Amino acid sequence: MINIGIIGVGLVGSELISQLAAYASSAPKLSVIALTNSSKQLLSTPAYSPLDLSTWKHALQTQGTTANLSVFIDYVSNSPVPAIIIDNTASQEIASQYPLFLRKGLQVVTPNKKAFSGAETLYKEIMEEAKKNKMFVFNESTVGAGLPIISTLKDLIRTGDKINRIEGIFSGTLSYIFNEFSKSGDDGQKFSEIVKVAKKNGYTEPDPRDDLNGLDVARKVVILGRITGMDLSLDTLPVENIVPEPLRNLATSSEFLSRLPEFDSHFDNLKQAAKDNNQTLRYVGVIDPIGGESGVKLISLPLSHPFAALKGSDNIIAFTTQRFPNPLIIQGAGAGAAVTAFGIFSDILKIADRFES
């Protein structure tokens, strides 16, 4: 039996609980014993008994107590059987406490990119504490949601392959925007219109500038680069911010969207220049251990390139290695609650399997 404490029960957390509930009926080796959001927490009664995952929302609302992360962690860490903390938040504050979680004997599974792409001192401390305390830290869903990107990279490295280059379209939002923009004809949708549709359909952050500035892609590049042994940092990684400079400091996303059409001609010119060379625009992240040219940028690619054929909001990642001079390519849905929860769930099962063996 593995006990689980879940921090963050929003869109991804709720979907994870649904997947765990469906799984429990066929193989009940996982037990959720604690849940918390930013305001309330629910600890199982009697202590360390499984929570009823069919009524957890009502129970959290009616029986939950004031959220206290210290109390929550102490409860889960005193579990009589191995325990896992799932952090479904994007909180830097919680990420900074991973070393403490590991020292308390907790395994960590998370889609929170902050711990693995922020300060290098925190990243190294997490890895050192995991090794020293013989704990697991799994973060597959920080890059590509449920796609097996991190596990593939680690397998390549563990088996002695040499990583020459990793490049990919790591943002489902920017994948959708440029797929739609590139396929639209001269009289098709303008860039600003596509961004508005993407926001309306829930593909973007509440403020689309948080996608267009490239920071999310940069975090994923740093995460993968550090796994290869590179000392990448958000502070020094070259990142092309495609938000027009006059719009970067506007107070609201509404004002940004209302003024974005002023710059449609700029994006039209970029598209036409690519089209004149039988190419298409793609927003790409690159990890380059050999040439040192890692970064994030908008580039033009030949129509024959695998990235040019991407559709919808899919992610695609290409690993060029000593064993795979013709790149090993992983492609699929890289965003959304269902696939992100799947990635988290998969990591949970990896830990559970290790305790069974």
Side-chain angles (χ1 to χ4, degrees):
M1 177 66 73
I2 302 288
N3 282 340
I4 297 172
I6 299 177
I7 303 172
V9 289
L11 198 61
V12 171
S14 296
E15 174 61 27
L16 175 64
I17 292 169
S18 296
Q19 293 184 16
L20 287 166
Y23 174 86
S25 60
S26 59
K29 65 179 179 180
L30 303 174
S31 176
V32 177
I33 61 167
L35 302 167
T36 187
N37 57 25
S38 59
S39 59
K40 286 190 173 185
Q41 65 187 31
L42 180 66
L43 310 181
S44 60
T45 305
Y48 305 111
S49 60
L51 293 171
D52 185 344
L53 299 187
S54 66
T55 60
W56 70 269
K57 288 185 180 179
H58 179 73
L60 180 63
Q61 184 177 6
T62 59
Q63 301 168 31
T65 57
T66 301
N68 184 314
L69 187 61
S70 178
V71 171
F72 185 88
I73 293 302
D74 283 345
Y75 176 74
V76 180
S77 65
N78 286 320
S79 165
V81 298
I84 303 172
I85 280 290
I86 315 297
D87 173 22
N88 295 314
T89 75
S91 166
Q92 180 64 59
E93 180 183 357
I94 294 173
S96 68
Q97 297 196 51
Y98 289 1
L100 173 64
F101 298 170
L102 295 164
R103 286 194 292 271
K104 283 180 169 288
L106 293 167
Q107 324 291 334
V108 176
V109 173
T110 182
N112 187 345
K113 293 184 279 290
K114 301 284 178 65
F116 310 96
S117 62
E120 193 169 9
T121 52
L122 174 61
Y123 175 75
K124 288 182 176 179
E125 186 182 5
I126 292 169
M127 297 300 109
E128 288 168 1
E129 289 293 343
K131 183 177 181 180
K132 182 169 67 177
N133 294 284
K134 298 181 180 179
M135 295 289 113
F136 296 112
V137 178
F138 283 154
N139 62 312
E140 183 72 73
S141 49
T142 57
V143 181
L147 296 177
I149 296 169
I150 288 178
S151 56
T152 297
L153 176 57
K154 288 183 175 179
D155 286 345
L156 290 168
I157 293 170
R158 272 196 294 259
T159 57
D161 203 353
K162 180 182 179 182
I163 308 299
N164 295 330
R165 187 178 177 88
I166 306 167
E167 55 188 342
I169 295 174
F170 294 99
S171 166
T173 302
L174 294 173
S175 176
Y176 171 82
I177 288 172
F178 282 103
N179 289 341
E180 292 297 306
F181 186 55
S182 295
K183 77 180 185 183
S184 63
D186 295 337
D187 298 325
Q189 280 188 306
K190 296 296 185 181
F191 185 83
S192 62
E193 295 169 345
I194 293 169
V195 172
K196 289 177 183 177
V197 171
K199 185 178 188 299
K200 181 180 179 181
N201 290 341
Y203 293 149
T204 73
E205 294 294 328
D207 188 334
R209 287 175 292 184
D210 292 335
D211 296 294
L212 298 172
N213 66 14
L215 179 59
D216 180 65
V217 176
R219 287 192 181 279
K220 295 168 185 177
V221 166
V222 169
I223 289 169
L224 296 180
R226 287 177 174 175
I227 293 172
T228 70
M230 299 180 70
D231 293 327
L232 294 187
S233 167
L234 292 176
D235 295 331
T236 56
L237 185 75
V239 179
E240 182 176 356
N241 182 349
I242 60 173
V243 178
E245 192 164 354
L247 309 186
R248 292 177 187 176
N249 295 317
L250 296 178
T252 67
S253 62
S254 297
E255 189 177 359
F256 161 70
L257 289 171
S258 69
R259 291 194 55 192
L260 187 57
E262 298 173 20
F263 298 88
D264 278 335
S265 60
H266 163 70
F267 290 102
D268 284 342
N269 290 338
L270 293 176
K271 181 171 73 170
Q272 188 60 50
K275 187 177 179 181
D276 290 344
N277 291 300
N278 293 316
Q279 296 184 335
T280 189
L281 296 173
R282 293 292 183 262
Y283 194 78
V284 175
V286 176
I287 299 95
D288 184 11
I290 305 298
E293 296 295 325
S294 300
V296 179
K297 54 188 174 181
L298 181 65
I299 61 175
S300 297
L301 293 173
L303 298 179
S304 58
H305 194 284
F307 293 6
L310 204 61
K311 296 181 180 179
S313 58
D314 275 6
N315 285 186
I316 184 168
I317 292 84
F319 297 91
T320 303
T321 74
Q322 190 172 51
R323 294 187 190 132
F324 291 92
N326 293 323
L328 168 63
I329 292 177
I330 297 173
Q331 178 181 343
V339 290
T340 302
F342 157 74
I344 299 165
F345 196 177
S346 177
D347 279 347
I348 294 170
L349 291 177
K350 289 172 188 173
I351 293 175
D353 288 345
R354 282 163 170 79
F355 280 100
E356 281 192 343
S357 60

